Amino acid sequence: MPLFHTHIVVDWSARSQPGPARETRDSIWWAVARIAGGIDVEVPEYARTRHEALDRLGRLIAGEADSGRRVLAGFDFPFGYPAGVAARLTGKASALALWDWLAARIEDAPDNVNNRYDVATAINAAYPGLGPFWGRPSAWDYPAIPTRASARAERDDHPPERRIADHRAKGAKTVWQLAYAGSVGSQMLLGLPALKRLVADPRIVGRARVWPFETGLRPPDAPAVIAEVYPSLLRNEVGARRGDDEILDSAQVRVNADAFARLDAGGGLAPLFAGAPRLTPGERWIVESEEAWILGLGHEEALKAACRIRPGQRRPG
């Protein structure tokens, strides 16, 4: 039996205004793959704002759980900061305590207007010199956030640039980069409070668990599981299966949701929840409490093998 019946992969966005009505790149996308005899992969969906996305995803997860279908929902941004950051800001070496800390400070309006650079400035102030966050449009008036990483000269007391997982994931960017190509820092600042709202959604509250912070590095036992994913683990497979004129974000969520579902249907998903095989006990403790892990990292060949059978698709009803 598969661990989950429904697999969702979400491509997040830190846009500061609603995305255009016409589907476009660098916005929020997700794909759904259901195991029902075969693998049923829906055409990816698009949302213009984070508020809209959270409402629709909450409804989707609740509907699946209400039908007795277990759900895995993967989001494509880091779930934790490097070890030591949570304790520095909250007094507790706990990623979920840092989620609470951020949720109390981040303001993210229904039209996507947000204060992420104000919160990043406050975090930088907790460290000497120019703090760890960097990357902003040069015209934006946030002097405590340098435009380039090299401006941060005094870094002896700075946190690590990357998590354990980021050192092992090819191409992973530092969590401290807020802008420019491939950055994930802004997505994290807005994404972590959003995940806190999602798991507290009255439609699913008490039924969703965050891997690995609430489950440990093991297969979770919950109606819905929220996990960190990194679609670039399947970069070549996405490129090979991307449709003509298909937006890259759409192809990424579609191919990744399909791969997780196919691996699960074949009984091969459980080992991914243990993290990479060579994690030391100390690293496992850091991953489970502060940094999180990328689902599938260390098991890339299994995910790639799951992509070798081309799926059919149907449009959502």
Side-chain angles (χ1 to χ4, degrees):
M1 293 290 292
L3 296 178
F4 302 94
H5 306 95
T6 303
H7 293 256
I8 306 167
V9 172
V10 183
D11 185 351
W12 200 242
S13 170
R15 278 182 178 268
S16 293
Q17 58 186 6
R22 182 176 182 179
E23 296 176 351
T24 187
R25 58 178 291 181
D26 298 329
S27 291
I28 298 177
W29 288 83
W30 65 86
V32 180
R34 292 184 176 88
I35 301 174
I39 307 298
D40 182 16
V41 185
E42 294 187 349
V43 170
E45 298 194 42
Y46 168 82
R48 299 180 64 192
T49 69
R50 287 176 290 277
H51 279 251
E52 176 193 351
L54 285 179
D55 179 64
R56 289 166 58 188
L57 287 167
R59 187 184 319 125
L60 169 62
I61 293 170
E64 297 296 303
D66 290 345
S67 298
R69 299 178 59 83
R70 296 189 67 214
V71 180
L72 173 64
F75 288 76
D76 74 332
F77 52 82
F79 278 18
Y81 284 91
V85 175
R88 184 73 169 246
L89 297 177
T90 74
K92 299 179 181 179
S94 162
L96 294 181
L98 187 50
W99 286 27
D100 292 341
W101 189 93
L102 288 171
R105 290 161 176 80
I106 284 288
E107 299 172 5
D108 193 7
D111 61 357
N112 274 355
V113 173
N114 63 83
N115 68 338
R116 70 185 188 276
Y117 272 84
D118 294 312
V119 175
T121 295
I123 294 173
N124 270 6
Y127 295 91
L130 289 174
F133 277 118
W134 63 273
R136 63 170 170 83
S138 58
W140 288 20
D141 186 22
Y142 289 96
I145 301 175
T147 57
R148 299 293 175 187
S150 57
R152 305 168 303 163
E154 185 181 345
R155 297 172 60 186
D156 290 344
D157 193 33
H158 276 199
E161 284 291 296
R162 288 175 170 81
R163 305 173 301 160
I164 297 167
D166 300 329
H167 282 293
R168 303 191 187 189
K170 183 178 180 181
K173 297 281 188 176
T174 170
V175 298
W176 304 114
Q177 182 180 344
L178 292 173
Y180 316 130
S183 62
V184 297
S186 286
Q187 284 88 333
M188 280 185 73
L189 285 174
L190 298 174
L192 298 180
L195 289 181
K196 181 175 172 59
R197 293 199 304 273
L198 179 63
V199 297
D201 186 317
R203 295 170 293 189
I204 61 174
V205 66
R207 297 193 285 180
R209 295 289 181 270
V210 179
W211 176 82
F213 301 141
E214 296 181 312
T215 66
L217 284 169
R218 61 185 65 87
D221 182 15
V225 173
I226 312 298
E228 176 185 337
V229 298
Y230 184 45
S232 291
L233 292 181
L234 296 177
R235 181 182 291 105
N236 292 338
E237 289 70 24
V238 169
R241 294 174 54 187
R242 183 179 178 185
D244 293 341
D245 301 321
E246 185 178 11
I247 293 169
L248 177 60
D249 312 63
S250 170
Q252 286 183 327
V253 295
R254 176 176 57 79
V255 172
N256 276 266
D258 177 64
F260 281 113
R262 288 183 178 275
L263 186 60
D264 196 5
L269 188 64
L272 277 62
F273 286 101
R278 291 190 297 275
L279 284 174
T280 68
E283 289 172 334
R284 291 177 66 87
W285 186 88
I286 291 172
V287 164
E288 290 180 334
S289 58
E290 295 188 68
E291 291 192 356
W293 192 254
I294 297 165
L295 188 63
L297 182 61
H299 301 268
E300 291 88 342
E301 291 308 314
L303 275 175
K304 291 175 182 179
C307 289
R308 291 174 189 152
I309 301 174
R310 297 185 65 86
Q313 280 189 269
R314 71 171 180 84
R315 290 197 169 271

